Amino acid sequence: MNSLERSLVEKAGYDSGFEYLESSFANEVVLASARHPAKASITKAGSQFEVHLSSRKSPLLSKEIRRSFPDLVESATGFYVDSEVELAKLLRRAASLSYALPNQAANNYHALLEKELEALAPEARGTEIERLVRQRVGQQSYRSAMMDYWGGACAVTGISVTAVLRASHSKPWAECDTDNDRLNVFNGFLLSANLDALFDRFLITFDDNGELVTSTAIPAQQRALLGINKQLKLRWLATEHLPFIRYHRERFEEQDSQYSPEMF
């Protein structure tokens, strides 16, 4: 790798969420960040760049990269890309995933929460005010992580109008035992507002293949008005989603069993 190529790699990293240059010499550039735990080692392999990604916090990073870029050619330890442009795309996605994947969202939440609680008056500690602060900061952290994980687009429709996207929980916030579960990006989906409202009320759910399942409580005519059809499904469903979506589906089925055709 010549000096110009190293400079281009360093710039691609800086512009794509890897703002810290850990080392740059000979045939290798190592990039990192103070904002997430991932590292990227880039070497030159013929006319291509070989990228090795690692994260001390999330072993899922490479798996999710493969999902995001199914056409990437893999090396023994990483991925090959053809140009600085393709390298930047890969690094941007790696950075976004590193912000989102468990348990980075929980780590970010605790850091933000500590700052918020320091600003509270002593008499507010342990009161309803503190509870609301914890919930607000948690929901903000969760939404931010979900936006990163789903690339700022609805997990079903691909709609990317930020104002109408909601971070939905499969296992509701109040029913989670730990912050790690509440803030886990696999415990829910980024959904457009209409789907979020239905999902939150257990009026839709998803099967283990990501296919949308609709409650009998929603008549066919109303389904059409809501934009629900048989073609709707999740853009992807990771193995890590399954325990949470099965919890949601159990609640859905329990509720749905209470309805009968005569009610509509």
Side-chain angles (χ1 to χ4, degrees), residues 14-192:
Y14 186 86
D15 292 341
S16 305
F18 288 82
E19 80 288 350
Y20 176 61
L21 179 62
E22 189 167 285
S23 65
S24 180
F25 59 90
N27 196 44
E28 182 184 43
V29 175
V30 180
L31 304 168
S33 174
R35 296 174 292 172
H36 61 75
K39 285 188 180 182
S41 170
I42 299 101
T43 57
K44 197 73 190 297
S47 62
Q48 296 177 304
F49 294 103
E50 183 178 2
V51 185
H52 173 69
L53 296 167
S54 62
S55 174
R56 65 184 184 278
K57 298 277 183 74
S58 181
L60 297 172
L61 180 58
S62 290
K63 176 183 176 182
E64 290 293 336
I65 286 291
R66 292 186 189 96
R67 187 193 311 284
S68 299
F69 301 98
D71 296 329
L72 269 185
V73 177
E74 294 190 45
S75 68
T77 59
F79 306 94
Y80 291 116
V81 294
D82 294 327
S83 66
E84 291 85 1
V85 173
E86 295 301 314
L87 173 63
K89 289 180 182 178
L90 178 61
L91 293 177
R92 278 196 297 274
R93 184 58 179 152
S96 292
L97 287 168
S98 294
Y99 291 131
L101 290 173
N103 289 309
Q104 187 62 23
N107 295 337
N108 294 342
Y109 161 69
H110 289 296
L112 291 170
L113 180 62
E114 185 176 348
K115 291 182 180 179
E116 293 271 354
L117 293 181
E118 285 176 356
L120 280 182
E123 59 269 21
R125 291 299 189 98
T127 67
E128 179 69 6
I129 294 174
E130 180 178 334
R131 187 191 71 79
L132 291 174
V133 168
R134 289 179 179 276
Q135 184 169 340
R136 173 176 57 78
V137 174
Q139 290 173 345
Q140 289 173 348
S141 298
Y142 181 65
R143 175 180 169 79
S144 177
M146 293 293 272
M147 291 289 287
D148 285 327
Y149 180 75
W150 287 100
C154 174
V156 175
T157 64
I159 289 172
S160 58
V161 181
T162 303
V164 302
L165 296 177
R166 307 286 183 268
S168 299
H169 277 86
S170 297
K171 185 174 184 179
W173 177 278
E175 296 175 27
C176 292
D177 296 324
T178 67
D179 288 336
N180 284 346
D181 275 356
R182 292 185 187 97
L183 299 165
N184 190 328
V185 290
F186 296 113
N187 180 16
F189 307 98
L190 189 68
L191 299 173
S192 57

